[in-house]
Amino acid sequence: MKIKQFTFNPYMENTYVVWCEESMEGAIIDCGASTDNEIEELEYFVEGKGIKIMHLLNTHMHPDHCAGNPWVSEKYGVRPEKAEGIIQIGKIKFDTIPTPGHTEDGVCFHNESEKILFAGDTLFNGSIGRTDLPGGSYSTLIASIRNKLLVLPDETTVYCGHGPTTTIGDEKRYNPFL
């Protein structure tokens, strides 16, 4: 599995391109590209690598995470998917983990074999997602993190919706919210 991170829009949102090196099938996760320059940067990368975008995935639907969805849909002929169950990208398999709290319908995408988690705004390096927006709930978010994410192996790399990556182990040890 290959992963490329882009940081887009005024909210410094992390957009990810994930692809299988064998099939060159890929997915865009949380496409926050909101300007022509950001869209061009994303397109240049995808086209330059020869990645066939097969999925458009969102951890949640806040505007900073889905601003680029219309462009991705038009350019690659994929629609945002209701992420339930198992997602297949070439030989890569992601399980969808429901993690409400930041939003009512928030999810994370987990690849067990490579110990990778795309957490959106559920869990950050040293922090957690906001819960003061409509649909947010602090107690629900903490329960999602404790019951569904902190049970993953400590060495699981967490790709966050904003800011740097972290690991489940580091968040268990150092995150003051947990």
Side-chain angles (χ1 to χ4, degrees):
M1 174 188 330
K2 298 294 278 183
I3 300 168
K4 171 69 174 168
Q5 175 183 320
F6 298 87
T7 302
F8 289 143
N9 67 50
Y11 296 99
M12 304 297 289
E13 179 270 347
N14 293 329
T15 294
Y16 298 97
V17 177
V18 180
W19 71 100
C20 170
E21 288 184 283
E22 289 183 40
S23 68
M24 292 307 288
E25 291 181 354
I28 297 176
I29 301 174
D30 286 348
C31 188
S34 64
T35 66
D36 289 344
N37 286 342
E38 291 172 347
I39 289 169
E40 287 174 15
E41 182 182 357
L42 184 57
E43 181 178 20
Y44 180 80
F45 179 81
V46 170
E47 300 297 318
K49 291 285 187 186
I51 301 167
K52 298 174 281 205
I53 299 299
M54 308 299 287
H55 300 277
L56 173 56
L57 305 173
N58 286 96
T59 59
H60 64 292
M61 295 304 288
H62 281 161
D64 58 324
H65 288 259
C66 63
N69 282 5
W71 172 79
V72 174
S73 292
E74 183 178 320
K75 176 72 179 174
Y76 299 108
V78 294
R79 312 268 315 146
E81 299 176 36
K82 183 167 175 56
E84 295 178 350
I86 293 171
I87 298 158
Q88 192 77 34
I89 304 166
K91 293 189 173 185
I92 303 166
K93 185 185 293 188
F94 284 100
D95 293 316
T96 302
I97 303 172
T99 53
H102 176 62
T103 61
E104 292 174 349
D105 59 354
V107 298
C108 296
F109 303 109
H110 179 240
N111 177 275
E112 185 177 4
S113 63
E114 296 196 37
K115 296 183 176 69
I116 290 173
L117 179 76
F118 291 93
D121 287 0
T122 298
L123 181 63
F124 297 129
N125 185 327
S127 191
I128 59 172
R130 292 178 63 172
T131 58
D132 61 332
L133 301 172
S137 166
Y138 179 81
S139 60
T140 302
L141 181 63
I142 293 298
S144 289
I145 293 169
R146 287 188 177 151
N147 299 330
K148 298 179 182 178
L149 302 186
L150 297 186
V151 298
L152 299 174
D154 283 0
E155 61 273 16
T156 301
T157 300
V158 180
Y159 290 87
C160 307
H162 302 269
T165 60
T166 185
T167 65
I168 292 294
D170 281 352
E171 295 314 301
K172 284 180 184 177
R173 286 186 288 280
Y174 305 118
N175 192 315
F177 295 93
L178 306 175

